[in-house]
Amino acid sequence: MAEPSFLSAVRESYDTVAADYVERVPLPSEMDPLSRAMLAGFAELVRTAGLGPVADLGCGPGRVTAHLAGLGVSAFGVDLSPKMIGLARHAYPNLRFTEGSMTSLETRDDELGGILAWYSTHHTPPRWLPAVFAEFHRTLAPGGYLLWGGHVGDERLRPTHGYGRPVSYESYLLPLDRVIGLLGQAGLVVTARLEQEPGGRVKRPHACLLARKPETA
């Protein structure tokens, strides 16, 4: 089956901007305190549950993957962009990074103790999100955790440039309640939500959701 066109656009765009992305995107230590707190809480929950590793999906250059590892979590990264994966492997040679798509993960059923989708699902057209969230549910162990982060709204963006370079991807900002509904349809239960208004470097409302795959009876 032919690859969906949006995946090709995302891959090619992030291959183009990879080096500039590293220069322009803040380190995890420079995130706002609430986002860092959500990552720390997620890491503690996953570490305490001991159900398996964390997959950082859409890991980019691997900085947040490494941040999780520094919080005591067994973490690995997955990204569509070969150049992003190359940068991640170079920067963090002791961690595992692989090319792949969250639409079809090369991960066994119930294998993961956690999934981090940190500002990485917004390039996915809404009609594809049920398939993506179904993959999250399939690969999470019963009782496993998902931490989702992203911008929210009701807008389809078609930028021509990103990080100073030409890009062809699109971005889809959805209302937070719709994201929660789609996660619920996939069988994931949202247990915490954090909504933040624009401020500092962040020009749009953004949010974090903590969700869990129910334990089997």
Side-chain angles (χ1 to χ4, degrees), residues 28-41 67 71 118:
S29 60
E30 299 170 337
M31 290 180 187
D32 67 274
L34 293 178
S35 294
R36 284 189 279 112
M38 290 293 285
L39 286 168
H67 181 71
L71 294 172
W118 195 249

Side-chain angles (χ1 to χ4, degrees), residues 103-186:
T103 60
S104 181
L105 296 168
E106 295 182 4
T107 306
R108 297 188 305 273
D109 293 357
D110 303 337
E111 180 179 349
L112 302 173
I115 288 175
L116 178 66
W118 195 249
Y119 294 80
S120 59
T121 64
H122 58 284
H123 296 309
T124 304
R127 67 185 181 89
W128 277 92
L129 285 176
V132 168
F133 293 161
E135 278 291 271
F136 291 2
H137 183 274
R138 178 186 70 80
T139 55
L140 277 173
Y145 292 92
L146 163 70
L147 181 62
W148 176 93
H151 296 291
V152 293
D154 189 5
E155 193 174 2
R156 181 177 180 178
L157 306 174
R158 299 179 177 89
T160 58
H161 286 74
Y163 310 100
R165 301 281 182 175
V167 295
S168 57
Y169 56 57
E170 296 184 353
S171 293
Y172 305 84
L173 308 186
L174 301 181
L176 189 58
D177 285 342
R178 185 174 177 191
V179 179
I180 292 171
L182 290 170
L183 290 172
Q185 289 173 24

Side-chain angles (χ1 to χ4, degrees), residues 6-35:
F6 79 91
L7 292 180
S8 302
V10 171
R11 180 185 297 107
E12 292 167 5
S13 296
Y14 279 99
D15 275 351
T16 299
V17 306
D20 301 275
Y21 181 102
V22 171
E23 294 296 324
R24 295 184 181 212
V25 173
L27 293 165
S29 60
E30 299 170 337
M31 290 180 187
D32 67 274
L34 293 178
S35 294

